Amino acid sequence: MRENQNLNAPHNPSAKQNAHSNTAHAPTHLIDSKNLTPEYTAKLIETAKRIIQSPSDFSDSCRQKIMATLFYEPSTRTRLSFESAMLGLGGNVIGFSQSSSSSAAKGESVADTIRVINSYADICVIRHFKEGAAKVAADFSNIPVINAGDGGHQHPTQTLTDLFTISQEKRRLENLTVGFCGDLKFGRTVHSLVETMSFYNGNRFILISPDELKLPEHIKDDLTKRASRFCETADLTAAMPELDILYMTRVQKERFFNEEDYVRLKDTYILDNQKLQNAKRDLAILHPLPRVNEIAAEVDSDSRALYFKQVEYGRYIRMALILDLLSKQGAN
Ligand code: NCD
């Protein structure tokens, strides 16, 4: 079965797609954060900044274009952010927000669904509970496919959101000490961001988690291969004074095999004003959201808390991505 192939294989967006022998051109997709080179990210950030400066210049850019959002897993921010981005570009949106309301409930495969969607839409955004599902969709698609999260694997557009936020708020993407805290094992936003930030010079990562939720070995191997500096600790308070960025994450309940482990680990880290006492004055506190207990509400009024601003940046960088992928599609 295609869905059981090596799901960690890097996706080559320029490779000829193999699903349709009559494919006239190969679409470019965003499936894996490996494709977010510093050059590509910089290009999208430039476009996003232009959109913020002059949204009306872009309000007709996607007229007559349709985006399909295929969400097999719950989402608030990501789906609405994509939909709002497409509407802001003058385009239209179709799709489903739960697999129970799609033909997946009748047993349809991702491969078949994407072939159907190809007849209805110009670009597709997919979130799926299975690692590798977005790549399967891309392999069977003639229209650009964007991975909006595949199981505990990757979430490259959250990474674009995070990079845009960091670049705007810290004025650089290099020479930063970044603390990732919480569920580093199942947190797909962490997997994509740590990998992408290792493409920039001088970044250092402090991986803060309980033993059971450490970053997967294959990601640490990749960091080592790239000669990225990182260390692991369970102690958030001790790491705090060193951090330029603190990336808090939710313990991913839906990826646990048993409830007991989740209950034991879920409140390991709760960021509050007390824990921030030794933090830098210009620390940036990020969180992909949704938050459960890991950041106390009292932190929200701290000027270093950027997680709601992050949501806003997400819409603009997704607009830039949609524009870029559709322009490549048009150029083929
Ligand atoms: C994240 C996700 O879905 O992985 N949320 C998001 O897209 N903003 C993080 C999470 O669910 O914890």
Side-chain angles (χ1 to χ4, degrees):
M1 244 177 63
R2 295 198 59 84
E3 296 191 9
N4 286 339
Q5 56 191 201
N6 179 5
L7 301 177
N8 290 325
H11 183 62
N12 177 359
S14 62
K16 197 76 188 155
Q17 303 303 296
N18 55 15
H20 296 265
S21 51
N22 63 348
T23 300
H25 48 72
T28 302
H29 312 286
L30 178 59
I31 303 302
D32 196 298
S33 57
K34 285 190 173 59
N35 300 133
L36 295 177
T37 61
E39 297 71 29
Y40 188 52
T41 300
K43 179 186 171 192
L44 295 181
I45 287 177
E46 275 319 303
T47 307
K49 280 160 58 178
R50 285 201 289 125
I51 296 171
I52 291 175
Q53 272 158 18
S54 188
S56 59
D57 286 354
F58 296 86
S59 58
D60 248 355
S61 312
C62 288
R63 185 134 327 271
Q64 309 292 345
K65 296 287 182 192
I66 297 175
M67 182 175 76
T69 53
L70 316 183
F71 277 65
Y72 296 82
E73 240 194 3
S75 169
T76 305
R77 264 150 304 279
T78 307
R79 186 172 59 83
L80 297 183
S81 164
F82 267 112
E83 294 190 1
S84 162
M86 189 57 169
L87 296 175
L89 294 168
N92 298 297
V93 181
I94 58 173
F96 54 83
S97 56
Q98 46 192 11
S99 55
S100 60
S101 64
S102 80
S103 284
K106 300 179 186 168
E108 186 172 61
S109 68
V110 167
D112 280 3
T113 302
I114 194 72
R115 283 191 274 217
V116 170
I117 297 301
N118 270 239
S119 302
Y120 300 146
D122 302 287
I123 187 165
C124 164
V125 180
I126 180 169
R127 167 171 288 191
H128 202 283
F129 46 84
K130 222 167 164 179
E131 288 80 5
K135 181 179 182 312
V136 172
D139 285 346
F140 283 87
S141 181
N142 287 324
I143 61 171
V145 174
I146 300 172
N147 180 7
D150 61 326
H153 183 216
Q154 291 252 334
H155 194 344
T157 69
Q158 180 62 45
T159 292
L160 281 174
T161 300
D162 302 336
L163 294 175
F164 188 31
T165 307
I166 296 167
S167 76
Q168 294 309 97
E169 299 292 329
K170 303 293 294 182
R171 316 313 303 179
R172 68 186 194 277
L173 289 167
E174 321 182 312
N175 300 320
L176 292 163
T177 297
V178 187
F180 288 95
C181 180
D183 187 347
L184 313 190
K185 178 178 182 184
F186 297 117
R188 57 194 175 196
T189 63
V190 173
H191 302 167
S192 293
L193 183 59
V194 72
E195 170 161 60
T196 311
M197 288 213 76
S198 75
F199 298 160
Y200 298 85
N201 291 329
N203 289 336
R204 185 165 76 97
F205 309 112
I206 304 185
L207 308 172
I208 308 155
S209 74
D211 242 17
E212 294 98 319
L213 298 179
K214 281 181 166 177
L215 194 70
E217 287 303 321
H218 72 94
I219 301 178
K220 285 188 275 187
D221 288 347
D222 283 350
L223 294 179
T224 305
K225 274 184 217 147
R226 261 180 238 122
S228 293
R229 286 182 297 157
F230 70 90
C231 63
E232 295 181 295
T233 178
D235 192 343
L236 171 60
T237 308
M240 193 65 87
E242 298 189 52
L243 305 179
D244 298 307
I245 294 167
L246 173 57
Y247 196 89
M248 292 298 295
T249 61
R250 167 181 77 90
V251 174
Q252 306 278 297
K253 182 179 185 187
E254 64 275 35
R255 316 262 179 246
F256 276 69
F257 292 112
N258 73 69
E259 174 90 14
E260 247 170 62
D261 287 345
Y262 169 71
V263 170
R264 185 166 48 80
L265 293 166
K266 71 183 170 77
D267 291 330
T268 311
Y269 301 104
I270 300 177
L271 182 68
D272 55 15
N273 288 342
Q274 168 77 23
K275 289 209 180 66
L276 282 167
Q277 265 176 5
N278 293 325
K280 289 186 180 170
R281 296 172 73 88
D282 64 347
L283 172 73
I285 306 168
L286 303 184
H287 190 308
L289 302 179
R291 121 178 94 177
V292 185
N293 268 339
E294 57 282 352
I295 302 181
E298 65 182 18
V299 176
D300 297 357
S301 52
D302 190 307
S303 59
R304 295 169 290 186
L306 300 181
Y307 29 91
F308 290 113
K309 244 179 170 175
Q310 215 175 329
V311 174
E312 203 180 318
Y313 285 124
R315 176 171 184 263
Y316 295 109
I317 200 78
R318 289 186 170 102
M319 287 169 98
L321 177 67
I322 293 167
L323 277 176
D324 181 73
L325 294 183
L326 283 176
S327 72
K328 284 173 185 158
Q329 182 76 349
N332 271 305

